[in-house]
Amino acid sequence: LIFIISLFLGTTITISSNHWVMAWTGLEINTLAILPLISKSHHPRAVEAATKYFLVQATASTLVLFSSMTNAWYTGQWDITQLTHSTSSLILTAAISMKLGLAPFHFWFPEVLQGSPLTTGLLLSTVMKFPPITLLFMTSQSLNPSLLTVLAILSVAMGGWMGLNQTQTRKIMAFSSIAHLGWMTIILVYYPKLTLLNFYLYAMMTAAVFLTLNSMKVLKLSTLMTAWAKAPSLSTILLLTLLSLAGLPPLTGFLPKWLIIQELTKQDMAPAAMIISLLSLLGLFFYLRLAYCATITLPPHTTNHMKQWHINKPISPSIAVLTTLSIMLLPISPMLAT
C-alpha cells in the first residue's frame, strides 16, 4: 500500500510541477516506489529486472537534471515550459526516451517486464509512462520535430519487428508498448493533445489485456492455447481487446491512429504517415497470433495438452468496464475531432 501511494504521489508531483527540480523529485519517488514491486518475488530474474530498471532510470533522471541545469545556466529559467536552449532540449529528448523505453533506448523494457509479475507489468506499462509523457507534453513546443519523427519511426519498426518471434506474453506486451509510444511521439510537436489521447486509450486497452492475462494466469503462448477451456468468455473478450490494440477499424484502437494519420497529412508529412502505418502491420501480426492462440481451440501439433478445468468465476467488474471501453469507444470520434 505504501509503495502504491508513493507511486501516485510521485506521479502527481511530476504532473503538477512547474519547476524542473520538482519534476525530477517526482520521477525519483516513482522509480524508488516501483523497485520493490518488481523484485517482490525474490526470483533471480526479478532482482535482475529491478537492477536493470534502477540503472536505466537513474541515468535518465541524471540526464533530465543535467538538461534542466544547462537550460537554467544559459537562460536563467527553471520553468518547465521555458526550455529554450537547443542542447538542453536534445538531452531532454534522450532522457525522456530512456525513461519511456523509446527506440533506440528500448532494450531495458522487455527484460524488465519479463522479470516482473503481471500486475507490476501493468503499472510499468501505464502509470510509470505517464509522468515522462506529461513532461514531453509541457516541453513539446521546444523539441526538435525531425528527431522525434526519427525516434518514432524507429520505435514502431523495432516494436513490431522484435515482437514477431516472442513467445512470452509479457515481452509481446513490452514490444507492443514500444510501438505505441512511437505513434505518440510522432504527433507530439504538431498536436500534443493527440499524444495524451493516444496514451489514455493505450493505457486503457493495455490494462484490459494485462488484467485478463492475470486472471487467466497466462505467462506464455502455450498456456494461452489451453486457457480457452478454463475461461471461454474471457478468451473471446481478449480477442477483441487485442484487435483493438492492433488498431483495427470498428474498435477503439483505430481512433488515435486515424486522428494521427489525418493530422500528419495536414502537416505535409504523408510519407511519415505512410511509413508508420505500414510498420504497424508488423504489430498487427503478433496481435493476431496472440488472438489466434487465445481463441482457436487447440493448435495443430502432436503433443497432448492437459485440458484445464472450466471455472465458473465471474469476470471482474474492472475487466468488464475496461474491455467495453477498449472495444466500443470509436463513435466518440466526432466529439474529439471538433
Side-chain angles (χ1 to χ4, degrees), residues 154-199:
L154 201 59
S155 294
V156 179
M158 296 308 277
W161 182 51
M162 294 174 77
L164 289 180
N165 58 352
Q166 299 298 332
T167 55
Q168 303 283 338
T169 48
R170 284 170 294 185
K171 278 200 173 171
I172 292 179
M173 292 310 293
F175 287 116
S176 127
S177 177
I178 293 166
H180 275 274
L181 281 169
W183 279 90
M184 290 173 220
T185 316
I186 200 164
I187 200 66
L188 182 74
V189 180
Y190 307 105
Y191 202 151
K193 285 182 180 168
L194 259 186
T195 300
L196 282 186
L197 170 77
N198 194 346
F199 177 74

Side-chain angles (χ1 to χ4, degrees), residues 81-294:
T81 50
Q82 305 290 323
L83 189 80
T84 45
H85 190 243
S86 56
T87 315
S88 303
S89 62
L90 286 176
I91 297 171
L92 182 84
T93 310
I96 301 287
S97 306
M98 251 175 167
K99 278 234 167 262
L100 288 171
L102 264 175
F105 307 105
H106 63 285
F107 291 101
W108 61 274
F109 189 53
E111 303 292 325
V112 170
L113 217 60
Q114 181 57 33
S116 44
L118 279 167
T119 40
T120 312
L122 168 60
L123 287 176
L124 281 170
S125 306
T126 55
V127 180
M128 299 301 290
K129 306 248 157 150
F130 190 40
I133 281 193
T134 51
L135 286 181
L136 278 183
F137 179 77
M138 288 192 274
T139 54
S140 59
Q141 73 284 354
S142 49
L143 299 175
N144 182 346
S146 45
L147 173 67
L148 285 176
T149 308
V150 169
L151 287 180
I153 290 176
L154 201 59
S155 294
V156 179
M158 296 308 277
W161 182 51
M162 294 174 77
L164 289 180
N165 58 352
Q166 299 298 332
T167 55
Q168 303 283 338
T169 48
R170 284 170 294 185
K171 278 200 173 171
I172 292 179
M173 292 310 293
F175 287 116
S176 127
S177 177
I178 293 166
H180 275 274
L181 281 169
W183 279 90
M184 290 173 220
T185 316
I186 200 164
I187 200 66
L188 182 74
V189 180
Y190 307 105
Y191 202 151
K193 285 182 180 168
L194 259 186
T195 300
L196 282 186
L197 170 77
N198 194 346
F199 177 74
Y200 297 145
L201 293 177
Y202 154 76
M204 198 171 63
M205 296 185 286
T206 306
V209 173
F210 266 111
L211 290 172
T212 309
L213 293 176
N214 189 41
S215 73
M216 296 197 295
K217 299 282 177 282
V218 169
L219 293 178
K220 49 183 189 289
L221 287 183
S222 54
T223 352
L224 188 61
M225 287 169 179
T226 53
W228 62 273
K230 195 158 127 186
S233 54
L234 261 184
S235 296
T236 317
I237 286 175
L238 182 63
L239 163 78
L240 288 169
T241 321
L242 285 167
L243 293 183
S244 183
L245 257 181
L248 290 186
L251 308 164
T252 310
F254 178 58
L255 170 59
K257 285 190 165 54
W258 172 31
L259 293 175
I260 287 173
I261 290 171
Q262 189 184 353
E263 187 59 36
L264 283 176
T265 42
K266 279 184 196 166
Q267 299 286 350
D268 287 339
M269 290 180 65
M274 184 184 74
I275 292 169
I276 203 167
S277 312
L278 287 174
L279 285 173
S280 66
L281 291 176
L282 290 169
L284 175 64
F285 178 81
F286 61 76
Y287 290 123
L288 277 176
R289 194 173 58 183
L290 264 176
Y292 180 88
C293 290

